[in-house]
Amino acid sequence: MYIADETWPELGDYFDDESLALVPLGSTEQHGPHLPLATDHLIAEALASEAAERTGYLRTPTINVGVSPHHRQFNGTMWVDAPEFRDYVESFTRNLTYHGIDRVVYVNAHGGNVDHLREVGRRLRDDEELYAIEWMWDESIPELVDDLFEQNGPHGGPKETAMIQHLRPELVREDRLADARDGGVPDVEAADTIKHGARTFYDAADNTGNGVLGDQTDATAAKGAELFEAASEQLCRLCEWLDDQPFEDLLPKDHV
């Protein structure tokens, strides 16, 4: 169920019976010469929509600009600063509690959002107002990602390429896949920006000339469909698990 498609009386029926919501989040940032800037938020929205359809749980609108200053050198990348992002997501989430939501899954598809969503979840939990957890699609199926791709990224690589080939094939510049591979680097280690255990890079441009890593030519729509199905299943299982938990068990433990 997508909240914005419903009327307020219809939503009253949902809030009478359910207390869980899915919040998709991504970014609007460069994903190399072959993928659209919308890549992350397209993936997040598609997975949240699929899970909402399968389970009946509520999906909110997508937060499609995230914490992406590390991609700022590339044309068109948009971002919000981390403190403002955290405050916005916290406010966005708190208003759901007004209607009776007490647990949220952040369906996230952008690595730059992870730490900040965890911090927001801690704030809400410490206030004993709501339990919110961050879920990252590729981290839910790491074995499958490793099995499908020899060089899987982490950014703009074949796993994201395959997902967009499956979800929005018209947005993939198929004639640029080899350029993406050849103009980027296989992985962060190959960029030689880790020195004596220290990560010396701050921006994507410090690692890769065209903004991406991995072998994009290894991606196919069929692999994307396999990834999407497996991740959707994991997300549905997470929602069902979370819905089954007594709310008091989700709150902070007492001081020892």
Side-chain angles (χ1 to χ4, degrees), residues 11 34 37 39 41 61 66 85 102-103 106 116 189 203-204 216:
L11 287 167
H34 64 301
L37 273 66
T39 291
H41 70 253
F85 176 80
D102 65 15
R103 57 205 75 193
Y106 294 129
H116 309 292
E189 184 177 351
D203 296 330
Q216 292 75 12

Side-chain angles (χ1 to χ4, degrees), residues 1-228:
M1 176 188 295
Y2 177 45
I3 191 170
D5 286 344
E6 307 299 316
T7 68
W8 71 262
E10 292 165 343
L11 287 167
D13 294 336
Y14 180 84
F15 294 125
D16 284 343
D17 297 330
E18 302 289 353
S19 60
L20 187 146
L22 296 147
V23 178
L25 306 96
S27 67
T28 300
E29 64 180 22
Q30 72 85 16
H31 275 77
H34 64 301
L35 290 179
L37 273 66
T39 291
D40 285 345
H41 70 253
L42 289 174
I43 293 172
E45 185 169 287
L47 287 165
S49 297
E50 184 70 15
E53 178 69 23
R54 294 187 188 188
T55 63
Y57 293 123
L58 190 70
R59 174 178 75 82
T60 73
T62 303
I63 298 174
N64 56 23
V65 176
V67 182
S68 301
H70 48 295
H71 292 292
R72 68 188 186 277
Q73 287 91 347
F74 296 92
N75 295 332
T77 291
M78 301 182 68
W79 70 92
V80 291
D81 292 333
E84 285 73 19
F85 176 80
R86 291 192 295 266
D87 287 347
Y88 178 82
V89 174
E90 181 178 351
S91 178
F92 182 105
T93 308
R94 282 186 189 277
N95 79 58
L96 294 170
T97 68
Y98 184 80
H99 301 294
I101 296 297
D102 65 15
R103 57 205 75 193
V104 161
V105 178
Y106 294 129
V107 181
N108 180 38
H110 172 51
N113 293 339
V114 172
D115 290 344
H116 309 292
L117 294 173
R118 292 280 297 168
E119 172 61 25
V120 171
R122 173 173 287 281
R123 292 180 190 178
L124 295 164
R125 180 173 179 259
D126 285 352
D127 287 347
E128 300 189 0
E129 188 166 351
L130 178 143
Y131 183 81
I133 49 175
E134 184 268 344
W135 178 84
M136 188 81 170
W137 72 269
D138 56 321
E139 292 180 2
S140 76
I141 50 170
E143 295 87 0
L144 178 60
V145 172
D146 286 342
D147 287 345
L148 289 178
F149 309 110
E150 185 174 349
Q151 296 175 350
N152 60 41
H155 181 74
K159 61 188 177 187
E160 291 182 319
T161 303
M163 284 286 268
I164 299 301
Q165 286 173 324
H166 168 59
L167 295 170
R168 295 290 302 275
E170 75 279 8
L171 296 180
V172 180
R173 282 62 169 177
E174 295 284 350
D175 60 338
R176 302 300 303 277
L177 297 183
D179 291 342
R181 177 198 61 201
D182 296 342
V185 293
D187 50 40
V188 173
E189 184 177 351
D192 196 29
T193 52
I194 299 178
K195 305 293 185 181
H196 312 293
R199 290 184 288 180
T200 64
F201 59 92
Y202 283 94
D203 296 330
D206 298 333
N207 284 325
T208 165
N210 67 1
V212 294
L213 303 92
D215 181 0
Q216 292 75 12
T217 65
D218 197 19
T220 67
K223 291 181 180 180
E226 189 173 353
L227 292 170
F228 185 80

